């Protein structure tokens, strides 16, 4: 084996040959970036990609906000006094009828038609439109699907009855579809079992009538109270269980109360401030 030549450069190539290759090495370095340059370029590309993603995400959020933004541009309160009823034509061509002692707030939004039944009872006849039509009443929301429906606000919730078409009854706990002649009563966020309703009985108030079909006097009095300014009191539990049937005039509540002793075994006493007391005879 030949000994290594101590005069060779560290590269192992003769100095002349190394000098001859230097221009090619410089050219290669010009075309192929260094490791540091590649790393810097990768960092910059990552930063640009993240910026584009953030920009796209912001644009999507802005678009969603524009799409879902639904400001109120008009508000209309509608109200009736005790014993009074009234009908209103809405801006979209729909109609709403209010029963006794009712307060309804109509809100026309940019993208929807929204109503708040603060108290009382209302019958809605909705005209089809691209804007959703919803009514809120005591922890329940009713979303119309093109229909005629009645809502009665109660102390614990609401009673919803569909006369024509269908609606969705929505609470914090569930959602239920109601179709023609079906009714539900809500208590808080709970929806009771669906029942079949008599449309003529439910909407009789529009013709100034009250229809009772064997209902306990306690329920009858609760209904009469809505049309009577003074309190109506049943003084004993047995009288509250007597049942009443018949069709009566809403505007003749005092006459009906006066005639109760002729229909049921009760006595009716009139007291100060239009107070009526009913007790067993």
């Amino acid at each position: 084996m030949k000994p290594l030549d101590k005069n060779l450069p560290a590269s192992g190539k003769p100095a002349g040959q190394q000098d001859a290759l230097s221009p090619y090495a410089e050219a290669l370095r010009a075309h192929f970036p260094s490791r540091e340059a590649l790393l810097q370029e990768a960092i910059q590309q990552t930063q640009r990609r993240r910026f584009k993603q953030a920009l796209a995400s912001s644009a999507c959020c802005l678009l969603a906000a524009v799409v879902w933004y639904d400001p109120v541009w008009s508000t209309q309160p509608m109200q009736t006094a005790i014993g009074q009823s009234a009908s209103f034509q809405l801006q979209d061509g729909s109609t709403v009828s209010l029963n006794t002692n009712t307060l309804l707030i109509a809100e026309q939004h940019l993208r929807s038609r929204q109503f708040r039944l603060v108290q009382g009872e209302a019958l809605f006849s909705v005209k089809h439109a691209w804007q959703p039509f919803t009514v809120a009443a005591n922890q329940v929301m009713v979303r119309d699907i093109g229909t005629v429906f009645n809502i009665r606000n109660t102390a614990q919730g609401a009673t919803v009855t569909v006369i024509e078409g269908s609606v969705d009854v929505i609470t914090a706990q569930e959602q239920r579809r109601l179709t023609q002649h079906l009714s539900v009563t809500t208590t808080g966020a709970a929806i009771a079992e669906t029942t079949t309703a008599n449309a003529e009985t439910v909407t009789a108030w529009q013709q100034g009538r009250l229809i009772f079909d064997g209902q306990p006097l306690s329920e009858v009095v609760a209904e009469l109270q809505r049309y009577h300014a003074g309190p109506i009191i049943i003084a004993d539990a047995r009288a509250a269980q007597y049942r009443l049937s018949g069709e009566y005039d809403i505007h003749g509540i005092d006459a009906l109360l006066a005639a109760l002793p002729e229909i049921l075994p009760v006595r009716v006493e009139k007291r100060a401030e239009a107070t009526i007391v009913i007790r067993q005879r």
Side-chain angles (χ1 to χ4, degrees), residues 35-66:
R35 177 183 177 187
E36 291 75 11
L38 290 173
L39 181 59
Q40 185 62 31
E41 177 63 22
I43 292 174
Q44 292 176 352
Q45 287 183 356
T46 300
Q47 291 175 340
R48 287 194 295 268
R49 183 167 59 251
R50 288 177 178 174
F51 176 75
K52 290 179 179 179
Q53 290 174 346
L55 188 62
S57 178
S58 298
C60 289
C61 292
L62 180 60
L63 178 61
V66 171

Side-chain angles (χ1 to χ4, degrees), residues 124 126 128 133 142-150 160-169 176-182:
F124 296 87
V126 183
H128 291 282
F133 189 106
V142 178
R143 183 171 58 207
D144 173 71
I145 310 175
T147 186
V148 177
F149 61 97
N150 192 87
V160 183
T161 305
V162 177
I163 310 303
E164 298 176 9
S166 58
V167 302
D168 285 331
V169 178
R176 190 177 303 177
R177 175 70 55 86
L178 292 185
T179 55
Q180 185 171 348
H181 296 169
L182 294 182

Side-chain angles (χ1 to χ4, degrees), residues 107-165:
E107 295 180 349
Q108 184 64 48
H109 290 242
L110 180 65
R111 299 178 51 255
S112 63
R113 300 166 292 172
Q114 300 182 24
F115 301 82
R116 287 184 291 115
L117 185 61
V118 180
Q119 66 182 44
E121 183 175 18
L123 179 72
F124 296 87
S125 181
V126 183
K127 185 176 182 179
H128 291 282
W130 64 270
Q131 295 171 304
F133 189 106
T134 60
V135 182
N138 203 355
Q139 302 185 60
V140 63
M141 184 179 76
V142 178
R143 183 171 58 207
D144 173 71
I145 310 175
T147 186
V148 177
F149 61 97
N150 192 87
I151 302 181
R152 178 171 173 176
N153 211 335
T154 66
Q156 296 79 28
T159 299
V160 183
T161 305
V162 177
I163 310 303
E164 298 176 9

Side-chain angles (χ1 to χ4, degrees), residues 68-87:
W68 290 105
Y69 183 53
D70 192 19
V72 179
W73 60 268
S74 71
T75 300
Q76 178 186 4
M78 293 172 278
Q79 190 169 13
T80 55
I82 293 176
Q84 180 187 14
S85 62
S87 295

